[in-house]
Amino acid sequence: LKSLVNVKLLNLVGTKISDRGLAFLKNFKKLEFLALPMQITDLGTVLESIKNLEHLELFGSKVKKFRFMHFTFAHLTLRHGVKVRDKTLKNIRNFRNLRSLNISGTDVTDNCLNYVTNHPLINSLNLQACRNITPAGLTRISKQISVNI
């Protein structure tokens, strides 16, 4: 893996990588896109060293705490099985560069839409398979940003 330090896109979904195995990512300084599998539970400080990371995807991940506030992601995907609830998105404004958010298949409700619409840069939101979002909530938010349902 040492020869791959210049990789910009890395999709680890479907692999058997563990939390401890993520330590090797510290050397991937040019990484811009990272997709992680469901068995990851702790991102720890590994991602802090990847300053160019713009797009993070967690699919079915069991990450317990989202400590992304200091990252500069432009695109964040937390979907299908990731435990995202309304309170998870309460501090979404702290993601200063976030332009797109994919929370498809999560348990968010109309309440989370207030947090998202108050973000100054988010212009794309994916709510596919979010069973707790009502038609009224979709109507309200679709007037402000592009929504994929």
Side-chain angles (χ1 to χ4, degrees), residues 3-70:
S3 64
L4 300 175
V5 294
N6 291 321
V7 166
K8 292 184 177 188
L9 185 146
L10 186 59
N11 184 342
L12 296 172
V13 174
T15 67
K16 295 182 179 186
I17 192 164
S18 66
D19 290 343
R20 284 186 49 199
L22 288 181
F24 82 93
L25 292 176
K26 288 181 180 179
N27 298 320
F28 285 56
K29 304 292 185 197
K30 296 182 180 180
L31 193 61
E32 295 174 6
F33 175 98
L34 178 62
L36 295 173
M38 66 184 350
Q39 67 268 20
I40 299 301
T41 61
D42 184 10
L43 296 173
T45 58
V46 172
L47 298 183
E48 292 175 4
S49 62
I50 308 172
K51 303 296 184 199
N52 290 329
L53 191 60
E54 287 191 18
H55 195 132
L56 177 65
E57 294 193 1
L58 300 176
F59 293 95
S61 175
K62 306 296 184 234
V63 172
K64 293 180 176 96
K65 291 186 179 177
F66 297 97
R67 294 172 280 178
F68 305 132
M69 301 314 161
H70 53 284

Side-chain angles (χ1 to χ4, degrees), residues 46-120:
V46 172
L47 298 183
E48 292 175 4
S49 62
I50 308 172
K51 303 296 184 199
N52 290 329
L53 191 60
E54 287 191 18
H55 195 132
L56 177 65
E57 294 193 1
L58 300 176
F59 293 95
S61 175
K62 306 296 184 234
V63 172
K64 293 180 176 96
K65 291 186 179 177
F66 297 97
R67 294 172 280 178
F68 305 132
M69 301 314 161
H70 53 284
F71 296 116
T72 58
F73 303 134
H75 312 281
L76 181 60
T77 298
L78 307 168
R79 64 183 242 196
H80 297 291
V82 178
K83 294 191 186 264
V84 176
R85 303 219 172 23
D86 293 343
K87 69 179 183 176
T88 309
L89 299 176
K90 189 174 185 178
N91 295 315
I92 198 79
R93 284 185 66 80
N94 293 333
F95 292 74
R96 299 189 196 290
N97 295 324
L98 194 60
R99 293 189 311 270
S100 72
L101 178 63
N102 181 340
I103 50 176
S104 59
T106 63
D107 292 330
V108 295
T109 69
D110 288 353
N111 293 332
C112 89
L113 301 179
N114 294 327
Y115 304 130
V116 175
T117 56
N118 287 330
H119 192 286

Side-chain angles (χ1 to χ4, degrees), residues 117-129:
T117 56
N118 287 330
H119 192 286
L121 295 178
I122 292 179
N123 59 23
S124 175
L125 177 64
N126 188 328
L127 295 170
Q128 288 181 325

